[in-house]
Amino acid sequence: MMPKLGEAERSFARKRLPGLILGLSLLALSTLLSHPGRLEEPFTTKQFFGLCSALAFFLLSLSGWGSLLARSARLRTFFPKILLGSLSLASFSGIVGNLGLFGPPYRLLFLGVLLIGSAWSFPGGVGLHLKAGFRKLPLAYWLVLLFTFSVFVLLFRTGTFFPTLRPQSDAFAFDVFAPWWWWESGRISFTPSSLHLLLASYWNFLYVWVFPLLGTEGNSRIGAIVFCQLLHLLLGFGGSVLGVYSILRKLKVPRDWCITSALYGATIFPILWTAWTAKNDFGSIFWLIGSLYFLSINRTCFRSEEHTSELQSRLHLVC
């Protein structure tokens, strides 16, 4: 006879299965839709929806790893979860890249890490988590999502979004080229024939994840650049705006002023134009704001006074 599951096992399954099933579904959808064509062929709408599925899977896993790490620090808001999630996935790719574990033979390793993260993306049960999450998300983040979606639709409709029509030199020189070079080389390495690789930063470790998801064959390289553009736009730019809002709220600034300040800072054109390109500008800003956020955390968020100073110092040092 099959042994009966206890209440603890059933509770664990209820909490982890929804995220895992959603992650598997998004992965399967991206695999079916993003089949690469020849390099000279245009990037199709079908491939684009496969790319969006891969991006959704990646962000789902990122939020899961962030939630798992934030639980130990008793950080319950949305911003530190995506901050810690992005740091954890960047750290993983940086570590395994230096160990020489990049390339197609290790694709399943990367997909496994993403699936584990997706299982933790709904830590409190799928229904309760979504209900509480939508209720707690500040208006500023919804406005940022609406703004970025409007910009994306405008650029997509005018044909200026895709890098085949409007290339951005930094993406081809190092921002996306460096992760592609590392993945194809099997490890993080540099070559004297392309000194621009030395300009790659820690944020570019996140761009490595697109290649286990979409591959490097044919016109999937176009999809890789679009994936990185969307990641920089949603996580780098959107996370920076949400970070400014979160810091001001921790400092007891009225909500209306927080929203106004965050959106005003995000619309400064000298840096705004980089938001929808595959660069690392807003990635660095996002993590810098995260470092300032941890300095602004109220000490009562932690379990004890001794735990506070040690953990807060470590989080700040990582950022």
Side-chain angles (χ1 to χ4, degrees):
M1 294 180 61
M2 294 290 292
K4 292 185 177 180
L5 292 177
E7 182 61 32
E9 289 81 1
R10 288 196 296 268
S11 176
F12 182 84
R14 283 197 302 268
K15 293 179 180 179
R16 305 295 163 237
L17 280 179
L20 183 60
I21 293 173
L22 179 58
L24 284 170
S25 302
L26 290 172
L27 177 60
L29 189 62
S30 68
T31 303
L32 290 174
L33 296 179
S34 60
H35 185 73
R38 294 193 301 271
L39 185 59
E40 63 273 12
E41 293 180 349
F43 197 73
T44 64
T45 303
K46 178 182 176 181
Q47 287 178 292
F48 177 75
F49 283 112
L51 180 153
C52 291
S53 301
L55 180 64
F57 175 47
F58 176 79
L59 293 176
L60 180 73
S61 178
L62 184 145
S63 67
W65 282 109
S67 299
L68 183 62
L69 295 173
R71 288 181 63 186
S72 62
R74 302 183 68 181
L75 300 170
R76 304 183 185 278
T77 56
F78 186 64
F79 176 70
K81 292 179 181 180
I82 61 172
L83 177 69
L84 293 175
S86 62
L87 285 167
S88 63
L89 293 183
S91 300
F92 177 83
S93 60
I95 292 171
V96 300
N98 280 289
L99 294 176
L101 302 180
F102 276 172
Y106 302 100
R107 180 173 181 262
L108 290 180
L109 171 65
F110 283 78
L111 295 181
V113 170
L114 292 179
L115 284 173
I116 293 173
S118 67
W120 287 91
S121 57
F122 299 117
V126 60
L128 294 176
H129 179 75
L130 286 176
K131 182 178 178 181
F134 283 119
R135 187 173 63 249
K136 291 181 179 180
L137 279 180
L139 177 62
Y141 195 73
W142 294 115
L143 292 176
V144 169
L145 287 180
L146 179 62
F147 172 76
T148 53
F149 179 76
S150 302
V151 171
F152 163 73
V153 170
L154 176 63
L155 294 175
F156 182 75
R157 294 286 296 177
T158 57
T160 59
F161 187 80
F162 288 97
T164 50
L165 300 177
R166 189 174 180 178
Q168 210 284 327
S169 58
D170 287 354
F172 293 110
F174 62 91
D175 278 311
V176 182
F177 175 68
W180 174 83
W181 174 268
W182 297 337
W183 185 257
E184 290 292 288
S185 302
R187 64 179 305 112
I188 295 175
S189 60
F190 301 92
T191 172
S193 62
S194 183
L195 296 179
H196 283 92
L197 291 174
L198 297 173
L199 295 174
S201 70
Y202 200 83
W203 178 263
N204 297 110
F205 289 152
L206 281 178
Y207 291 165
V208 173
W209 289 91
V210 65
F211 300 111
L213 289 168
L214 299 182
T216 59
E217 299 82 12
N219 64 356
S220 63
R221 303 174 194 177
I222 300 173
I225 297 178
V226 178
F227 181 100
C228 296
Q229 289 181 215
L230 287 172
L231 187 62
H232 187 246
L233 178 67
L234 298 176
L235 185 61
F237 174 71
S240 299
V241 175
L242 182 61
V244 172
Y245 173 89
S246 302
I247 291 175
L248 294 176
R249 289 298 292 164
K250 286 292 182 183
L251 298 177
K252 309 300 182 183
V253 176
R255 184 183 298 271
D256 293 341
W257 283 107
C258 293
I259 296 174
T260 303
S261 301
L263 293 180
Y264 177 76
T267 54
I268 299 175
F269 184 75
I271 58 173
L272 177 63
W273 72 272
T274 67
W276 53 78
T277 61
K279 292 170 67 69
N280 53 30
D281 298 35
F282 273 101
S284 303
I285 294 172
F286 172 50
W287 284 339
L288 174 62
I289 292 174
S291 179
L292 298 175
Y293 173 83
F294 284 125
L295 289 179
S296 68
I297 288 179
N298 191 305
R299 296 174 70 86
T300 59
C301 293
F302 297 95
R303 297 171 182 168
S304 66
E305 294 294 325
E306 294 77 12
H307 185 62
T308 298
S309 58
E310 180 183 358
L311 180 60
Q312 194 169 351
S313 299
R314 289 181 179 180
L315 291 174
H316 177 57
L317 179 62
V318 169
C319 285

